[in-house]
Amino acid sequence: MHRGFELSLFDAAAMLIVLAAALGYLNHRLFKLPQSVGLTLMGALASLALVGIDYAVPASGLAGRVTRFIAQIDFHEAVMQGMLSFLLFAGALHVDWGEMKRGGWPILVLSTIGVVISTVIIGGGFYLLSHALGLAVPIAWCLTFGALISPTDPVAVMGVLKRTTVSPTLQATVAGESLFNDGVGVVVFTILLAVALGHEPFSLSRAGGLFAIEAGGGVVLGLAIGWIAYRAMGAIDDYQLEVMISLAVVMGGYALAGWLHVSGPVAMAVAGLLIGNAGVAHAMSDVTRDYLLKFWAVIDEVLNALLFLLIGLEVITVPADPRLVPLALAAIPLILVARALAVLAPLGAMRPWLSLGRMAPVTLIWGGLRGGISVALALGLPEGPARGALLAATYAVVLFSVLVQGGTIAQVLAWRGRAGAQPSPGTSVS
């Protein structure tokens, strides 16, 4: 640790890794909670305990020191420009393309139209709630909140799916939606944030064009870099070099997406799907396949642990304004209602020719977790009168999502199964 409590990047990474390992060990031995739930909960409790110690012993200054430490870790930058590319690629690498194709239409509709529906419902509801509670958040900022909180977090969702017993097709559908609605949500958020800041007036045609360029460009870039890597891996048999090629896809591809102004998250999801399916099946030896998948599994687990620990620790940075508590708590049922409508409306419209079974709605609604991406976007908001309200509401929703929904999804699905839910006949794939 350096003078003036200045930390180097290595210092911060070392402290977080040590803390994640220690708390992960404690959780594994004593509490046995899912890792995402355990680390988030213990991180949040540790932050709140420090605040409590500060109130009891003001001279300690512990909360202030921890706050300064957390402030030196740019969560928005760490997630959006660091962890996200690795986590999306690692997640997509393990999604079965064959099962995902069977849920292709629900994935496409839920990750696009579903995000827009959710954004509008949450934005309108948050506007009404804020005015009813005397906070009067402007509608543009309410819609911005809707955009940042609507996408389900692929990291949290895929972690939860590992503990469920739903069908492979439904698992692939939920995972696919979370991978792609993340990229779509970031694009929608970017458009609405520009409107909220007054940088440009809202235009449906301009927004649609920007969305098509960002999302469509992300798909094209992901296919291009994934295909190049696939061909390169197929031409050699050297597991060390092939793992390095996969790293080049993630780091170089995400940087290139930023330079081209296309969606990096979408590109990573597409590249991961291509390499994880065609690449694994046709371009790798058994030795390479084993090394590559295990390498990315370790990357996924380590970054997952750090991400959820940081989510818990960042609680200490939320504005301590009692007026925001009712609004933040009211946002939780609002998000659940919006998610239900955004899922049920598209699934109902597709029911005549496709059904994912009766387990699909509860899996998609209760399993639609929010996580680090929403927190990162909220923390990246510029200072202003609306920022505190949006940040407090985001944290309330994310903590509820990870701790309550993530901690109970297996029990909810088991209860639903015992209640006698059966797959729909005919075209059902559940």
Side-chain angles (χ1 to χ4, degrees):
M1 191 176 297
H2 305 297
R3 186 175 60 186
F5 206 76
E6 290 296 325
L7 296 176
S8 69
L9 180 61
F10 181 82
D11 291 335
M15 292 176 72
L16 289 172
I17 286 286
V18 170
L19 191 56
L23 293 180
Y25 177 82
L26 185 65
N27 177 56
H28 183 80
R29 291 300 301 269
L30 299 180
F31 306 116
K32 303 190 184 303
L33 295 168
Q35 180 172 268
S36 59
V37 176
L39 286 173
T40 303
L41 179 61
M42 287 190 285
L45 290 177
S47 294
L48 295 175
L50 289 170
V51 174
I53 292 171
D54 245 19
Y55 276 113
V57 188
S60 68
L62 283 175
R65 293 179 184 178
V66 174
T67 302
R68 288 194 296 275
F69 165 63
I70 296 297
Q72 290 179 53
I73 302 169
D74 189 333
F75 188 88
H76 179 269
E77 189 74 12
V79 174
M80 302 307 294
Q81 301 301 327
M83 296 181 181
L84 185 58
S85 57
F86 292 91
L87 289 168
L88 288 174
F89 181 85
L93 204 63
H94 296 90
V95 175
D96 188 314
W97 175 247
E99 297 292 350
M100 189 173 162
K101 281 197 298 184
R102 298 179 69 189
W105 277 109
I107 291 172
L108 178 62
V109 174
L110 290 171
S111 64
T112 53
I113 297 173
V115 170
V116 174
I117 292 173
S118 177
T119 297
V120 173
I121 293 172
I122 293 171
F126 198 72
Y127 177 79
L128 295 176
L129 286 172
S130 68
H131 278 69
L133 294 170
L135 295 171
V137 179
I139 185 63
W141 286 106
C142 292
L143 289 169
T144 301
F145 172 67
L148 72 86
I149 206 68
S150 287
T152 55
D153 190 296
V155 180
V157 169
M158 286 186 281
V160 164
L161 288 178
K162 296 174 185 177
R163 308 191 303 274
T164 64
T165 56
V166 298
S167 70
T169 297
L170 183 52
Q171 284 196 37
T173 301
V174 177
E177 185 222 352
S178 69
L179 284 169
F180 288 105
N181 73 10
D182 166 56
V184 171
V186 171
V187 175
V188 175
F189 168 81
T190 302
I191 294 169
L192 291 175
L193 179 60
V195 175
L197 291 171
H199 292 169
E200 58 184 60
F202 181 76
S203 165
L204 191 59
S205 60
R206 177 173 171 76
L210 181 59
F211 175 83
I213 292 171
E214 289 248 357
V219 171
V220 172
L221 178 62
L223 287 172
I225 60 178
W227 182 81
I228 292 171
Y230 166 74
R231 297 288 298 187
M233 290 174 174
I236 59 175
D237 184 14
D238 184 327
Y239 73 86
Q240 293 172 319
L241 183 54
E242 290 178 69
V243 169
M244 191 180 300
I245 290 172
S246 70
L247 273 172
V249 167
V250 173
M251 300 180 74
Y254 201 79
L256 182 59
W259 297 334
L260 296 175
H261 301 290
V262 300
S263 175
V266 171
M268 290 302 99
V270 172
L273 284 170
L274 198 159
I275 293 173
N277 288 271
V280 165
H282 306 298
M284 300 176 193
S285 65
D286 291 340
V287 172
T288 297
R289 183 183 305 115
D290 185 55
Y291 271 97
L292 185 136
L293 292 178
K294 286 180 177 177
F295 170 82
W296 282 104
V298 171
I299 293 290
D300 191 36
E301 288 297 323
V302 171
L303 291 182
N304 257 304
L306 290 176
L307 178 61
F308 287 106
L309 173 62
L310 274 171
I311 289 174
L313 292 174
E314 288 278 352
V315 169
I316 202 170
T317 66
V318 177
D321 186 345
R323 297 176 302 166
L324 299 179
V325 174
L327 180 62
L329 294 177
I332 296 172
L334 171 63
I335 269 66
L336 290 174
V337 170
R339 175 65 178 171
L341 294 174
V343 166
L344 294 175
L347 289 185
M350 289 184 284
R351 188 177 296 277
W353 67 88
L354 175 67
S355 171
L356 291 172
R358 291 186 180 178
M359 292 295 287
V362 67
T363 305
L364 286 162
I365 294 169
W366 199 248
L369 275 62
R370 276 66 174 186
I373 294 167
S374 293
V375 175
L377 292 175
L379 286 170
L381 292 171
E383 292 295 336
R387 186 178 188 272
L390 270 59
L391 187 55
T394 300
Y395 260 104
V397 170
V398 169
L399 288 179
F400 178 86
S401 181
V402 174
L403 299 180
V404 179
Q405 291 177 249
T408 61
I409 182 66
Q411 292 87 343
V412 169
L413 292 179
W415 168 81
R416 176 64 173 156
R418 288 195 300 270
Q422 296 294 328
S424 300
T427 56
S428 173
V429 293
S430 180

